[in-house]
Amino acid sequence: MISTKGRYALRVMIDLAQHEGEGYIPLKDIAERQGISKKYLEIIVKELVAGDLISGVSGKGGGYMLSRKSSRYTAGEIIELMEGSLAPVACLKDKEYDCPRKRGCETLPMWKEYYKMTHNFFYKKKLSELL
């Protein structure tokens, strides 16, 4: 399940994409437009900045903007930055994980198929398409 953090991060990124080319957008403006508390958005944008998805400037004229064009982002990279891996089971999430049932696991092919579908779905969705 995608948490509010992941969903709100997508909303922030869409909001910034809608205002692409307008310079730095104040967080209070994003919070008002999205109906999300500024305090909660501060946590989210901090992670988006740390992940190099957006850049921020403080002070007068400050705010946030996309680090690259909206067409160069995928929903998958945004969600995984905020939520972690989309993998449904530990053996697909961590290649170092040594599952004792790996060789004889009847459900592993199903989990691989599911993971491939969800990964491809989110990584094919460009931020610019969500506008």
Side-chain angles (χ1 to χ4, degrees):
M1 184 161 92
I2 309 297
S3 71
T4 56
K5 196 163 133 183
R7 294 193 320 268
Y8 289 1
L10 276 171
R11 287 171 55 185
V12 167
M13 295 295 287
I14 290 168
D15 193 290
L16 291 173
Q18 290 170 329
H19 298 278
E20 202 168 10
E22 296 178 20
Y24 288 96
I25 308 299
L27 191 60
K28 69 175 184 59
D29 293 353
I30 299 168
E32 287 173 14
R33 284 192 293 265
Q34 296 302 317
I36 303 169
S37 84
K38 185 176 174 236
K39 194 101 172 144
Y40 192 36
L41 286 186
E42 287 170 353
I43 296 165
I44 292 169
V45 296
K46 183 177 180 181
E47 290 188 43
L48 292 170
V49 169
D52 293 325
L53 297 186
I54 64 174
S55 59
V57 172
S58 52
K60 186 174 169 76
Y64 297 90
M65 67 177 4
L66 299 178
S67 297
R68 54 188 189 258
K69 293 200 175 292
S70 60
S71 61
R72 297 192 55 224
Y73 291 92
T74 66
E77 73 178 308
I78 298 163
I79 292 168
E80 282 200 322
L81 174 68
M82 303 308 288
E83 302 286 342
S85 174
L86 294 169
V89 290
C91 58
L92 295 176
K93 180 181 178 183
D94 181 4
K95 300 295 180 197
E96 302 298 314
Y97 179 74
D98 188 26
C99 179
R101 295 192 38 81
K102 192 173 190 172
R103 286 198 174 88
C105 182
E106 294 86 0
T107 61
L108 185 57
M110 176 188 67
W111 294 125
K112 284 181 177 179
E113 183 180 359
Y114 174 78
Y115 179 47
K116 183 178 178 184
M117 286 185 330
T118 56
H119 184 274
N120 289 345
F121 176 81
F122 286 119
Y123 274 86
K124 285 181 181 175
K125 292 284 181 199
K126 300 288 183 190
L127 181 60
S128 56
E129 295 169 10
L130 299 175
L131 301 178

mmCIF file of all heavy atoms in Angstrom, residues 65-114:
data_model
loop_
_atom_site.group_PDB
_atom_site.id
_atom_site.type_symbol
_atom_site.label_atom_id
_atom_site.label_comp_id
_atom_site.label_asym_id
_atom_site.label_seq_id
_atom_site.Cartn_x
_atom_site.Cartn_y
_atom_site.Cartn_z
ATOM 1 N N MET A 65 11.523 23.854 -6.742
ATOM 2 C CA MET A 65 11.276 23.639 -8.163
ATOM 3 C C MET A 65 11.827 22.273 -8.554
ATOM 4 O O MET A 65 12.661 21.701 -7.843
ATOM 5 C CB MET A 65 11.896 24.738 -9.026
ATOM 6 C CG MET A 65 13.405 24.734 -9.016
ATOM 7 S SD MET A 65 14.298 25.931 -10.077
ATOM 8 C CE MET A 65 13.105 26.924 -10.808
ATOM 9 N N LEU A 66 11.339 21.760 -9.670
ATOM 10 C CA LEU A 66 11.833 20.484 -10.174
ATOM 11 C C LEU A 66 13.306 20.614 -10.549
ATOM 12 O O LEU A 66 13.727 21.658 -11.031
ATOM 13 C CB LEU A 66 11.028 20.046 -11.402
ATOM 14 C CG LEU A 66 9.531 19.817 -11.204
ATOM 15 C CD1 LEU A 66 8.880 19.446 -12.533
ATOM 16 C CD2 LEU A 66 9.275 18.746 -10.159
ATOM 17 N N SER A 67 14.050 19.546 -10.373
ATOM 18 C CA SER A 67 15.467 19.538 -10.741
ATOM 19 C C SER A 67 15.670 19.281 -12.231
ATOM 20 O O SER A 67 16.736 19.545 -12.766
ATOM 21 C CB SER A 67 16.224 18.461 -9.949
ATOM 22 O OG SER A 67 16.178 18.755 -8.581
ATOM 23 N N ARG A 68 14.651 18.731 -12.874
ATOM 24 C CA ARG A 68 14.705 18.479 -14.315
ATOM 25 C C ARG A 68 13.301 18.613 -14.891
ATOM 26 O O ARG A 68 12.353 18.822 -14.140
ATOM 27 C CB ARG A 68 15.309 17.098 -14.603
ATOM 28 C CG ARG A 68 14.637 15.944 -13.902
ATOM 29 C CD ARG A 68 15.426 14.652 -14.087
ATOM 30 N NE ARG A 68 14.726 13.494 -13.625
ATOM 31 C CZ ARG A 68 14.950 12.870 -12.477
ATOM 32 N NH1 ARG A 68 15.886 13.309 -11.663
ATOM 33 N NH2 ARG A 68 14.266 11.804 -12.141
ATOM 34 N N LYS A 69 13.149 18.493 -16.170
ATOM 35 C CA LYS A 69 11.843 18.627 -16.813
ATOM 36 C C LYS A 69 10.894 17.528 -16.328
ATOM 37 O O LYS A 69 11.316 16.402 -16.087
ATOM 38 C CB LYS A 69 11.984 18.567 -18.328
ATOM 39 C CG LYS A 69 12.734 19.758 -18.903
ATOM 40 C CD LYS A 69 12.409 19.894 -20.370
ATOM 41 C CE LYS A 69 13.045 21.143 -20.943
ATOM 42 N NZ LYS A 69 12.474 22.364 -20.434
ATOM 43 N N SER A 70 9.625 17.871 -16.229
ATOM 44 C CA SER A 70 8.630 16.923 -15.713
ATOM 45 C C SER A 70 8.556 15.643 -16.544
ATOM 46 O O SER A 70 8.229 14.580 -16.015
ATOM 47 C CB SER A 70 7.254 17.583 -15.632
ATOM 48 O OG SER A 70 6.825 18.027 -16.896
ATOM 49 N N SER A 71 8.878 15.724 -17.807
ATOM 50 C CA SER A 71 8.840 14.537 -18.667
ATOM 51 C C SER A 71 9.969 13.551 -18.366
ATOM 52 O O SER A 71 9.956 12.428 -18.862
ATOM 53 C CB SER A 71 8.898 14.961 -20.137
ATOM 54 O OG SER A 71 10.102 15.657 -20.387
ATOM 55 N N ARG A 72 10.918 13.953 -17.534
ATOM 56 C CA ARG A 72 12.052 13.088 -17.210
ATOM 57 C C ARG A 72 11.924 12.428 -15.835
ATOM 58 O O ARG A 72 12.868 11.816 -15.350
ATOM 59 C CB ARG A 72 13.344 13.885 -17.310
ATOM 60 C CG ARG A 72 13.557 14.384 -18.766
ATOM 61 C CD ARG A 72 14.919 14.937 -19.036
ATOM 62 N NE ARG A 72 15.961 13.994 -18.706
ATOM 63 C CZ ARG A 72 17.077 14.326 -18.055
ATOM 64 N NH1 ARG A 72 17.284 15.566 -17.677
ATOM 65 N NH2 ARG A 72 17.991 13.417 -17.796
ATOM 66 N N TYR A 73 10.753 12.539 -15.226
ATOM 67 C CA TYR A 73 10.466 11.870 -13.953
ATOM 68 C C TYR A 73 9.458 10.753 -14.196
ATOM 69 O O TYR A 73 8.589 10.886 -15.050
ATOM 70 C CB TYR A 73 9.807 12.828 -12.948
ATOM 71 C CG TYR A 73 10.683 13.919 -12.419
ATOM 72 C CD1 TYR A 73 10.733 15.158 -13.048
ATOM 73 C CD2 TYR A 73 11.428 13.735 -11.271
ATOM 74 C CE1 TYR A 73 11.521 16.177 -12.545
ATOM 75 C CE2 TYR A 73 12.216 14.754 -10.755
ATOM 76 C CZ TYR A 73 12.253 15.972 -11.403
ATOM 77 O OH TYR A 73 13.026 16.985 -10.900
ATOM 78 N N THR A 74 9.560 9.706 -13.403
ATOM 79 C CA THR A 74 8.524 8.675 -13.419
ATOM 80 C C THR A 74 7.863 8.609 -12.048
ATOM 81 O O THR A 74 8.481 8.957 -11.032
ATOM 82 C CB THR A 74 9.098 7.281 -13.759
ATOM 83 O OG1 THR A 74 9.970 6.863 -12.707
ATOM 84 C CG2 THR A 74 9.826 7.290 -15.099
ATOM 85 N N ALA A 75 6.620 8.175 -12.051
ATOM 86 C CA ALA A 75 5.919 7.982 -10.780
ATOM 87 C C ALA A 75 6.674 6.965 -9.923
ATOM 88 O O ALA A 75 6.758 7.115 -8.704
ATOM 89 C CB ALA A 75 4.488 7.524 -11.031
ATOM 90 N N GLY A 76 7.257 5.962 -10.577
ATOM 91 C CA GLY A 76 7.979 4.922 -9.855
ATOM 92 C C GLY A 76 9.139 5.449 -9.038
ATOM 93 O O GLY A 76 9.325 5.065 -7.881
ATOM 94 N N GLU A 77 9.940 6.333 -9.621
ATOM 95 C CA GLU A 77 11.096 6.842 -8.873
ATOM 96 C C GLU A 77 10.659 7.705 -7.703
ATOM 97 O O GLU A 77 11.302 7.697 -6.651
ATOM 98 C CB GLU A 77 12.071 7.582 -9.782
ATOM 99 C CG GLU A 77 11.604 8.933 -10.253
ATOM 100 C CD GLU A 77 12.624 9.663 -11.111
ATOM 101 O OE1 GLU A 77 13.785 9.810 -10.690
ATOM 102 O OE2 GLU A 77 12.249 10.078 -12.215
ATOM 103 N N ILE A 78 9.567 8.432 -7.865
ATOM 104 C CA ILE A 78 9.060 9.273 -6.781
ATOM 105 C C ILE A 78 8.531 8.392 -5.646
ATOM 106 O O ILE A 78 8.867 8.585 -4.472
ATOM 107 C CB ILE A 78 7.965 10.231 -7.298
ATOM 108 C CG1 ILE A 78 8.535 11.175 -8.361
ATOM 109 C CG2 ILE A 78 7.334 11.008 -6.143
ATOM 110 C CD1 ILE A 78 7.494 11.876 -9.212
ATOM 111 N N ILE A 79 7.721 7.406 -6.010
ATOM 112 C CA ILE A 79 7.143 6.509 -5.008
ATOM 113 C C ILE A 79 8.237 5.725 -4.286
ATOM 114 O O ILE A 79 8.232 5.631 -3.054
ATOM 115 C CB ILE A 79 6.107 5.568 -5.650
ATOM 116 C CG1 ILE A 79 4.891 6.373 -6.105
ATOM 117 C CG2 ILE A 79 5.694 4.462 -4.677
ATOM 118 C CD1 ILE A 79 3.930 5.602 -6.995
ATOM 119 N N GLU A 80 9.193 5.179 -5.034
ATOM 120 C CA GLU A 80 10.243 4.387 -4.380
ATOM 121 C C GLU A 80 11.137 5.240 -3.491
ATOM 122 O O GLU A 80 11.612 4.760 -2.460
ATOM 123 C CB GLU A 80 11.068 3.618 -5.408
ATOM 124 C CG GLU A 80 10.343 2.395 -5.902
ATOM 125 C CD GLU A 80 11.239 1.352 -6.532
ATOM 126 O OE1 GLU A 80 12.201 1.714 -7.247
ATOM 127 O OE2 GLU A 80 10.983 0.162 -6.307
ATOM 128 N N LEU A 81 11.357 6.492 -3.856
ATOM 129 C CA LEU A 81 12.147 7.364 -2.986
ATOM 130 C C LEU A 81 11.447 7.527 -1.639
ATOM 131 O O LEU A 81 12.079 7.467 -0.587
ATOM 132 C CB LEU A 81 12.366 8.737 -3.634
ATOM 133 C CG LEU A 81 13.067 9.761 -2.744
ATOM 134 C CD1 LEU A 81 14.523 9.366 -2.503
ATOM 135 C CD2 LEU A 81 12.980 11.147 -3.354
ATOM 136 N N MET A 82 10.145 7.693 -1.682
ATOM 137 C CA MET A 82 9.394 7.954 -0.458
ATOM 138 C C MET A 82 9.010 6.688 0.306
ATOM 139 O O MET A 82 8.952 6.700 1.526
ATOM 140 C CB MET A 82 8.115 8.743 -0.787
ATOM 141 C CG MET A 82 8.365 10.058 -1.504
ATOM 142 S SD MET A 82 9.557 11.148 -0.692
ATOM 143 C CE MET A 82 8.622 11.685 0.706
ATOM 144 N N GLU A 83 8.757 5.609 -0.416
ATOM 145 C CA GLU A 83 8.216 4.398 0.195
ATOM 146 C C GLU A 83 9.226 3.261 0.325
ATOM 147 O O GLU A 83 9.005 2.329 1.077
ATOM 148 C CB GLU A 83 7.029 3.874 -0.634
ATOM 149 C CG GLU A 83 5.894 4.854 -0.796
ATOM 150 C CD GLU A 83 5.067 5.018 0.457
ATOM 151 O OE1 GLU A 83 5.130 4.154 1.363
ATOM 152 O OE2 GLU A 83 4.345 6.022 0.540
ATOM 153 N N GLY A 84 10.280 3.310 -0.461
ATOM 154 C CA GLY A 84 11.179 2.170 -0.539
ATOM 155 C C GLY A 84 10.777 1.295 -1.716
ATOM 156 O O GLY A 84 9.918 1.653 -2.511
ATOM 157 N N SER A 85 11.370 0.160 -1.796
ATOM 158 C CA SER A 85 11.153 -0.748 -2.924
ATOM 159 C C SER A 85 9.682 -1.122 -3.113
ATOM 160 O O SER A 85 8.945 -1.280 -2.140
ATOM 161 C CB SER A 85 11.969 -2.026 -2.720
ATOM 162 O OG SER A 85 11.676 -2.963 -3.720
ATOM 163 N N LEU A 86 9.298 -1.284 -4.364
ATOM 164 C CA LEU A 86 7.957 -1.761 -4.690
ATOM 165 C C LEU A 86 7.859 -3.286 -4.623
ATOM 166 O O LEU A 86 6.787 -3.844 -4.821
ATOM 167 C CB LEU A 86 7.573 -1.298 -6.106
ATOM 168 C CG LEU A 86 7.408 0.203 -6.314
ATOM 169 C CD1 LEU A 86 7.289 0.530 -7.801
ATOM 170 C CD2 LEU A 86 6.208 0.725 -5.562
ATOM 171 N N ALA A 87 8.967 -3.945 -4.357
ATOM 172 C CA ALA A 87 8.991 -5.408 -4.322
ATOM 173 C C ALA A 87 8.037 -5.930 -3.244
ATOM 174 O O ALA A 87 8.055 -5.454 -2.114
ATOM 175 C CB ALA A 87 10.399 -5.917 -4.064
ATOM 176 N N PRO A 88 7.222 -6.938 -3.585
ATOM 177 C CA PRO A 88 6.239 -7.437 -2.629
ATOM 178 C C PRO A 88 6.797 -8.417 -1.591
ATOM 179 O O PRO A 88 6.146 -8.655 -0.571
ATOM 180 C CB PRO A 88 5.212 -8.142 -3.522
ATOM 181 C CG PRO A 88 6.002 -8.579 -4.712
ATOM 182 C CD PRO A 88 7.058 -7.530 -4.915
ATOM 183 N N VAL A 89 7.963 -8.993 -1.859
ATOM 184 C CA VAL A 89 8.545 -9.965 -0.932
ATOM 185 C C VAL A 89 10.036 -9.688 -0.764
ATOM 186 O O VAL A 89 10.692 -9.136 -1.650
ATOM 187 C CB VAL A 89 8.324 -11.422 -1.411
ATOM 188 C CG1 VAL A 89 6.855 -11.820 -1.308
ATOM 189 C CG2 VAL A 89 8.817 -11.628 -2.829
ATOM 190 N N ALA A 90 10.576 -10.114 0.374
ATOM 191 C CA ALA A 90 11.967 -9.821 0.739
ATOM 192 C C ALA A 90 12.971 -10.339 -0.282
ATOM 193 O O ALA A 90 13.967 -9.676 -0.576
ATOM 194 C CB ALA A 90 12.285 -10.386 2.113
ATOM 195 N N CYS A 91 12.732 -11.512 -0.844
ATOM 196 C CA CYS A 91 13.725 -12.092 -1.764
ATOM 197 C C CYS A 91 13.837 -11.308 -3.066
ATOM 198 O O CYS A 91 14.849 -11.397 -3.757
ATOM 199 C CB CYS A 91 13.428 -13.559 -2.038
ATOM 200 S SG CYS A 91 11.803 -13.880 -2.728
ATOM 201 N N LEU A 92 12.830 -10.513 -3.419
ATOM 202 C CA LEU A 92 12.914 -9.664 -4.609
ATOM 203 C C LEU A 92 13.405 -8.263 -4.255
ATOM 204 O O LEU A 92 13.980 -7.579 -5.092
ATOM 205 C CB LEU A 92 11.556 -9.580 -5.312
ATOM 206 C CG LEU A 92 11.038 -10.878 -5.905
ATOM 207 C CD1 LEU A 92 9.651 -10.675 -6.490
ATOM 208 C CD2 LEU A 92 11.992 -11.424 -6.942
ATOM 209 N N LYS A 93 13.172 -7.868 -3.032
ATOM 210 C CA LYS A 93 13.595 -6.540 -2.575
ATOM 211 C C LYS A 93 15.096 -6.463 -2.380
ATOM 212 O O LYS A 93 15.737 -5.497 -2.749
ATOM 213 C CB LYS A 93 12.886 -6.195 -1.262
ATOM 214 C CG LYS A 93 13.249 -4.856 -0.700
ATOM 215 C CD LYS A 93 12.520 -4.602 0.601
ATOM 216 C CE LYS A 93 12.939 -3.274 1.189
ATOM 217 N NZ LYS A 93 12.294 -3.046 2.479
ATOM 218 N N ASP A 94 15.653 -7.502 -1.793
ATOM 219 C CA ASP A 94 17.063 -7.517 -1.434
ATOM 220 C C ASP A 94 17.750 -8.714 -2.079
ATOM 221 O O ASP A 94 17.494 -9.852 -1.697
ATOM 222 C CB ASP A 94 17.195 -7.581 0.094
ATOM 223 C CG ASP A 94 18.618 -7.571 0.589
ATOM 224 O OD1 ASP A 94 19.556 -7.431 -0.227
ATOM 225 O OD2 ASP A 94 18.799 -7.710 1.811
ATOM 226 N N LYS A 95 18.593 -8.451 -3.053
ATOM 227 C CA LYS A 95 19.290 -9.531 -3.773
ATOM 228 C C LYS A 95 20.208 -10.332 -2.844
ATOM 229 O O LYS A 95 20.523 -11.475 -3.120
ATOM 230 C CB LYS A 95 20.105 -8.962 -4.949
ATOM 231 C CG LYS A 95 19.270 -8.231 -5.969
ATOM 232 C CD LYS A 95 18.321 -9.160 -6.666
ATOM 233 C CE LYS A 95 17.506 -8.401 -7.685
ATOM 234 N NZ LYS A 95 16.328 -9.084 -8.122
ATOM 235 N N GLU A 96 20.615 -9.721 -1.740
ATOM 236 C CA GLU A 96 21.487 -10.392 -0.774
ATOM 237 C C GLU A 96 20.698 -11.315 0.167
ATOM 238 O O GLU A 96 21.283 -12.127 0.861
ATOM 239 C CB GLU A 96 22.257 -9.356 0.062
ATOM 240 C CG GLU A 96 23.114 -8.406 -0.765
ATOM 241 C CD GLU A 96 24.202 -9.125 -1.544
ATOM 242 O OE1 GLU A 96 24.886 -9.986 -0.959
ATOM 243 O OE2 GLU A 96 24.352 -8.834 -2.744
ATOM 244 N N TYR A 97 19.389 -11.155 0.188
ATOM 245 C CA TYR A 97 18.545 -11.977 1.069
ATOM 246 C C TYR A 97 18.618 -13.422 0.613
ATOM 247 O O TYR A 97 18.393 -13.742 -0.551
ATOM 248 C CB TYR A 97 17.099 -11.472 1.025
ATOM 249 C CG TYR A 97 16.152 -12.267 1.884
ATOM 250 C CD1 TYR A 97 16.166 -12.131 3.267
ATOM 251 C CD2 TYR A 97 15.243 -13.146 1.319
ATOM 252 C CE1 TYR A 97 15.292 -12.849 4.061
ATOM 253 C CE2 TYR A 97 14.368 -13.871 2.105
ATOM 254 C CZ TYR A 97 14.393 -13.718 3.474
ATOM 255 O OH TYR A 97 13.521 -14.423 4.260
ATOM 256 N N ASP A 98 18.950 -14.293 1.525
ATOM 257 C CA ASP A 98 19.099 -15.712 1.209
ATOM 258 C C ASP A 98 17.905 -16.480 1.763
ATOM 259 O O ASP A 98 17.914 -16.938 2.900
ATOM 260 C CB ASP A 98 20.413 -16.249 1.785
ATOM 261 C CG ASP A 98 20.711 -17.661 1.327
ATOM 262 O OD1 ASP A 98 20.227 -18.055 0.246
ATOM 263 O OD2 ASP A 98 21.421 -18.370 2.061
ATOM 264 N N CYS A 99 16.894 -16.610 0.937
ATOM 265 C CA CYS A 99 15.684 -17.317 1.358
ATOM 266 C C CYS A 99 15.929 -18.827 1.270
ATOM 267 O O CYS A 99 16.340 -19.320 0.216
ATOM 268 C CB CYS A 99 14.519 -16.924 0.459
ATOM 269 S SG CYS A 99 12.985 -17.782 0.880
ATOM 270 N N PRO A 100 15.667 -19.535 2.335
ATOM 271 C CA PRO A 100 15.891 -20.979 2.313
ATOM 272 C C PRO A 100 14.946 -21.724 1.357
ATOM 273 O O PRO A 100 15.227 -22.833 0.947
ATOM 274 C CB PRO A 100 15.648 -21.407 3.761
ATOM 275 C CG PRO A 100 14.840 -20.317 4.368
ATOM 276 C CD PRO A 100 15.195 -19.060 3.626
ATOM 277 N N ARG A 101 13.856 -21.090 0.945
ATOM 278 C CA ARG A 101 12.885 -21.727 0.052
ATOM 279 C C ARG A 101 13.046 -21.291 -1.403
ATOM 280 O O ARG A 101 12.256 -21.663 -2.252
ATOM 281 C CB ARG A 101 11.465 -21.407 0.507
ATOM 282 C CG ARG A 101 11.141 -21.992 1.874
ATOM 283 C CD ARG A 101 9.669 -21.923 2.206
ATOM 284 N NE ARG A 101 8.762 -22.178 1.107
ATOM 285 C CZ ARG A 101 8.408 -23.389 0.661
ATOM 286 N NH1 ARG A 101 8.902 -24.462 1.205
ATOM 287 N NH2 ARG A 101 7.545 -23.510 -0.329
ATOM 288 N N LYS A 102 14.056 -20.508 -1.678
ATOM 289 C CA LYS A 102 14.215 -19.915 -3.006
ATOM 290 C C LYS A 102 14.131 -20.939 -4.144
ATOM 291 O O LYS A 102 13.455 -20.720 -5.142
ATOM 292 C CB LYS A 102 15.543 -19.161 -3.080
ATOM 293 C CG LYS A 102 15.675 -18.286 -4.295
ATOM 294 C CD LYS A 102 16.935 -17.441 -4.200
ATOM 295 C CE LYS A 102 16.941 -16.402 -5.292
ATOM 296 N NZ LYS A 102 18.025 -15.465 -5.137
ATOM 297 N N ARG A 103 14.805 -22.066 -4.006
ATOM 298 C CA ARG A 103 14.845 -23.065 -5.088
ATOM 299 C C ARG A 103 13.513 -23.782 -5.289
ATOM 300 O O ARG A 103 13.162 -24.135 -6.398
ATOM 301 C CB ARG A 103 15.960 -24.061 -4.833
ATOM 302 C CG ARG A 103 17.316 -23.455 -5.111
ATOM 303 C CD ARG A 103 18.390 -24.537 -5.281
ATOM 304 N NE ARG A 103 19.634 -23.923 -5.685
ATOM 305 C CZ ARG A 103 20.540 -23.447 -4.855
ATOM 306 N NH1 ARG A 103 20.332 -23.509 -3.562
ATOM 307 N NH2 ARG A 103 21.649 -22.902 -5.304
ATOM 308 N N GLY A 104 12.792 -23.976 -4.213
ATOM 309 C CA GLY A 104 11.556 -24.740 -4.325
ATOM 310 C C GLY A 104 10.299 -23.937 -4.045
ATOM 311 O O GLY A 104 9.251 -24.505 -3.773
ATOM 312 N N CYS A 105 10.395 -22.632 -4.115
ATOM 313 C CA CYS A 105 9.255 -21.786 -3.776
ATOM 314 C C CYS A 105 8.224 -21.780 -4.910
ATOM 315 O O CYS A 105 8.498 -21.298 -6.010
ATOM 316 C CB CYS A 105 9.720 -20.363 -3.489
ATOM 317 S SG CYS A 105 8.370 -19.260 -3.009
ATOM 318 N N GLU A 106 7.067 -22.291 -4.619
ATOM 319 C CA GLU A 106 6.008 -22.359 -5.618
ATOM 320 C C GLU A 106 5.421 -20.987 -5.941
ATOM 321 O O GLU A 106 4.889 -20.780 -7.026
ATOM 322 C CB GLU A 106 4.876 -23.285 -5.137
ATOM 323 C CG GLU A 106 5.269 -24.732 -5.004
ATOM 324 C CD GLU A 106 5.902 -25.066 -3.643
ATOM 325 O OE1 GLU A 106 6.035 -24.162 -2.783
ATOM 326 O OE2 GLU A 106 6.282 -26.236 -3.465
ATOM 327 N N THR A 107 5.516 -20.053 -4.999
ATOM 328 C CA THR A 107 4.890 -18.740 -5.217
ATOM 329 C C THR A 107 5.832 -17.701 -5.817
ATOM 330 O O THR A 107 5.375 -16.650 -6.256
ATOM 331 C CB THR A 107 4.320 -18.191 -3.890
ATOM 332 O OG1 THR A 107 5.385 -18.026 -2.947
ATOM 333 C CG2 THR A 107 3.246 -19.109 -3.334
ATOM 334 N N LEU A 108 7.136 -17.976 -5.854
ATOM 335 C CA LEU A 108 8.093 -16.981 -6.353
ATOM 336 C C LEU A 108 7.785 -16.504 -7.773
ATOM 337 O O LEU A 108 7.831 -15.295 -8.023
ATOM 338 C CB LEU A 108 9.529 -17.500 -6.248
ATOM 339 C CG LEU A 108 10.620 -16.499 -6.621
ATOM 340 C CD1 LEU A 108 10.524 -15.230 -5.767
ATOM 341 C CD2 LEU A 108 11.997 -17.139 -6.469
ATOM 342 N N PRO A 109 7.426 -17.398 -8.705
ATOM 343 C CA PRO A 109 7.092 -16.898 -10.049
ATOM 344 C C PRO A 109 5.937 -15.894 -10.043
ATOM 345 O O PRO A 109 5.954 -14.909 -10.784
ATOM 346 C CB PRO A 109 6.712 -18.171 -10.827
ATOM 347 C CG PRO A 109 7.441 -19.264 -10.112
ATOM 348 C CD PRO A 109 7.423 -18.857 -8.661
ATOM 349 N N MET A 110 4.953 -16.119 -9.187
ATOM 350 C CA MET A 110 3.828 -15.190 -9.082
ATOM 351 C C MET A 110 4.299 -13.836 -8.562
ATOM 352 O O MET A 110 3.931 -12.784 -9.091
ATOM 353 C CB MET A 110 2.763 -15.766 -8.143
ATOM 354 C CG MET A 110 1.598 -14.813 -7.898
ATOM 355 S SD MET A 110 0.453 -15.398 -6.628
ATOM 356 C CE MET A 110 1.459 -15.320 -5.145
ATOM 357 N N TRP A 111 5.136 -13.847 -7.514
ATOM 358 C CA TRP A 111 5.642 -12.596 -6.949
ATOM 359 C C TRP A 111 6.501 -11.847 -7.960
ATOM 360 O O TRP A 111 6.442 -10.628 -8.051
ATOM 361 C CB TRP A 111 6.422 -12.852 -5.662
ATOM 362 C CG TRP A 111 5.581 -13.376 -4.543
ATOM 363 C CD1 TRP A 111 5.792 -14.513 -3.827
ATOM 364 C CD2 TRP A 111 4.388 -12.797 -4.008
ATOM 365 N NE1 TRP A 111 4.807 -14.673 -2.888
ATOM 366 C CE2 TRP A 111 3.925 -13.630 -2.978
ATOM 367 C CE3 TRP A 111 3.655 -11.651 -4.316
ATOM 368 C CZ2 TRP A 111 2.773 -13.358 -2.247
ATOM 369 C CZ3 TRP A 111 2.510 -11.379 -3.588
ATOM 370 C CH2 TRP A 111 2.083 -12.219 -2.572
ATOM 371 N N LYS A 112 7.295 -12.574 -8.734
ATOM 372 C CA LYS A 112 8.115 -11.941 -9.778
ATOM 373 C C LYS A 112 7.236 -11.269 -10.825
ATOM 374 O O LYS A 112 7.511 -10.154 -11.258
ATOM 375 C CB LYS A 112 9.035 -12.965 -10.440
ATOM 376 C CG LYS A 112 10.223 -13.353 -9.612
ATOM 377 C CD LYS A 112 11.102 -14.347 -10.362
ATOM 378 C CE LYS A 112 12.341 -14.688 -9.555
ATOM 379 N NZ LYS A 112 13.199 -15.667 -10.253
ATOM 380 N N GLU A 113 6.182 -11.972 -11.232
ATOM 381 C CA GLU A 113 5.265 -11.415 -12.232
ATOM 382 C C GLU A 113 4.570 -10.163 -11.697
ATOM 383 O O GLU A 113 4.458 -9.151 -12.382
ATOM 384 C CB GLU A 113 4.239 -12.474 -12.637
ATOM 385 C CG GLU A 113 3.291 -12.005 -13.724
ATOM 386 C CD GLU A 113 2.274 -13.078 -14.121
ATOM 387 O OE1 GLU A 113 2.311 -14.203 -13.577
ATOM 388 O OE2 GLU A 113 1.433 -12.761 -14.983
ATOM 389 N N TYR A 114 4.111 -10.244 -10.457
ATOM 390 C CA TYR A 114 3.440 -9.102 -9.826
ATOM 391 C C TYR A 114 4.386 -7.901 -9.725
ATOM 392 O O TYR A 114 4.028 -6.776 -10.057
ATOM 393 C CB TYR A 114 2.925 -9.502 -8.439
ATOM 394 C CG TYR A 114 2.340 -8.348 -7.665
ATOM 395 C CD1 TYR A 114 1.064 -7.877 -7.951
ATOM 396 C CD2 TYR A 114 3.071 -7.716 -6.655
ATOM 397 C CE1 TYR A 114 0.523 -6.807 -7.252
ATOM 398 C CE2 TYR A 114 2.542 -6.649 -5.948
ATOM 399 C CZ TYR A 114 1.273 -6.197 -6.251
ATOM 400 O OH TYR A 114 0.758 -5.134 -5.561
#
